[in-house]
Amino acid sequence: MLRRLVAGLAAIVLVVEAAVLVLVHIVLGRTTANQSMSIAGSDPDVMSKATYVMGAGMGAFLVLCAVLCAVTAIRDRAPGRFGRVVLISGAVTHGVLGILSVALVGWVAFATLMLILCLLVLTLTSYAARPGGDGSEGGAGEDTPPLPPTPPFGELKPTSP
């Protein structure tokens, strides 16, 4: 129950973060276009369009992570290989941005990014694949211990005492 709650909460938080980041990039792009800002002679139109594209890309990536977390919460099953790779890359991205945010933005931004990082990591670890299983949850023999392996050529006995 707790892992479904964490995955659902991670999905909601990621959607909110995506919306905030897209809004920030729209404001930055408009500011760049209105002020005719350029860095080292760069074209201001290219810079504002690149800001819009970057915001859209980041927003799409975060929404993809949110969809994967939501699907994981709804199915109550571990994400597949592609889903794990995307969620791990999202966690790494949040870790790197958290480190950078301490110096550039402040401790509140760092704490927010670390909270999201914790939600992603907790989602990934709580839905970890079981060793020796196919990753699916539930089943009839879940409470019974596994049978010992049977040797291929019968039972071997030592020849010396």
Side-chain angles (χ1 to χ4, degrees), residues 13-72:
V13 169
L14 285 168
V15 168
V16 170
E17 182 187 13
V20 167
L21 279 177
V22 168
L23 180 65
V24 165
H25 279 83
I26 288 172
V27 169
L28 288 175
R30 285 194 180 161
T31 304
T32 304
N34 291 339
Q35 299 273 329
S36 294
M37 294 180 186
S38 71
I39 298 175
S42 300
D43 186 19
D45 291 332
V46 172
M47 288 179 60
S48 67
K49 288 186 187 347
T51 304
Y52 294 143
V53 170
M54 186 65 169
M58 287 176 70
F61 176 70
L62 290 173
V63 167
L64 175 64
C65 289
V67 166
L68 290 171
C69 284
V71 167
T72 300

Side-chain angles (χ1 to χ4, degrees), residues 48-139:
S48 67
K49 288 186 187 347
T51 304
Y52 294 143
V53 170
M54 186 65 169
M58 287 176 70
F61 176 70
L62 290 173
V63 167
L64 175 64
C65 289
V67 166
L68 290 171
C69 284
V71 167
T72 300
I74 291 170
R75 290 184 181 170
D76 198 23
R77 199 170 42 148
R81 179 175 290 167
F82 174 74
R84 288 184 99 51
V85 168
V86 170
L87 291 177
I88 289 170
S89 64
V92 169
T93 302
H94 278 88
V96 171
L97 288 176
I99 292 168
L100 292 173
S101 71
V102 172
L104 299 175
V105 182
W107 288 102
V108 175
F110 173 77
T112 304
L113 287 168
M114 290 303 107
L115 173 72
I116 299 169
L117 171 69
C118 289
L119 288 172
L120 286 172
V121 169
L122 189 57
T123 299
L124 285 167
T125 56
S126 65
Y127 282 102
R130 305 271 184 216
D134 59 350
S136 62
E137 297 294 325

